[in-house]
């Protein structure tokens, strides 16, 4: 079975929706303010993809854990 780029994009979008929603609800619950929860969610939408991209690039470039040579 081949994995397409569309699948990766769909997974990325669904993950961001779920993660951001959880973040908003948790911050809203802790702070008691929907405005603060929503502000957190918006900020998270901006910085999390950047953070993830940097994390991926570091793993790709410097960390060889779990890689095997094709035979």
């Amino acid at each position: 079975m081949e994995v397409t780029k569309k699948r990766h994009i769909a997974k990325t979008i669904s993950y961001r929706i779920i993660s951001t929603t959880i973040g908003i609800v948790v911050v809203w619950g802790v702070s008691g303010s929907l405005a603060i929860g929503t502000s957190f969610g918006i900020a998270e939408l901006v910085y999390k993809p950047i953070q993830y991209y940097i994390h991926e690039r570091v793993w790709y470039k410097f960390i060889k854990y779990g890689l095997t040579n094709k035979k």
Side-chain angles (χ1 to χ4, degrees), residues 17-28 40 44:
I17 290 169
I18 292 166
S19 179
T20 300
T21 301
I22 291 169
I24 290 169
V25 170
V26 167
V27 173
W28 178 16
F40 173 83
E44 184 184 55

Side-chain angles (χ1 to χ4, degrees), residues 9-67:
I9 292 169
K11 278 179 62 180
T12 300
I13 292 168
S14 69
Y15 177 79
R16 285 297 345 130
I17 290 169
I18 292 166
S19 179
T20 300
T21 301
I22 291 169
I24 290 169
V25 170
V26 167
V27 173
W28 178 16
V30 169
S31 71
S33 169
L34 180 58
I36 292 173
T38 304
S39 296
F40 173 83
I42 292 168
E44 184 184 55
L45 279 173
V46 173
Y47 81 82
K48 286 281 180 119
I50 296 166
Q51 174 188 337
Y52 182 77
Y53 177 79
I54 293 167
H55 177 263
E56 277 293 304
R57 295 303 301 161
V58 167
W59 267 80
Y60 181 78
K61 203 165 186 136
F62 302 110
I63 300 172
K64 303 305 177 201
Y65 177 79
L67 296 177

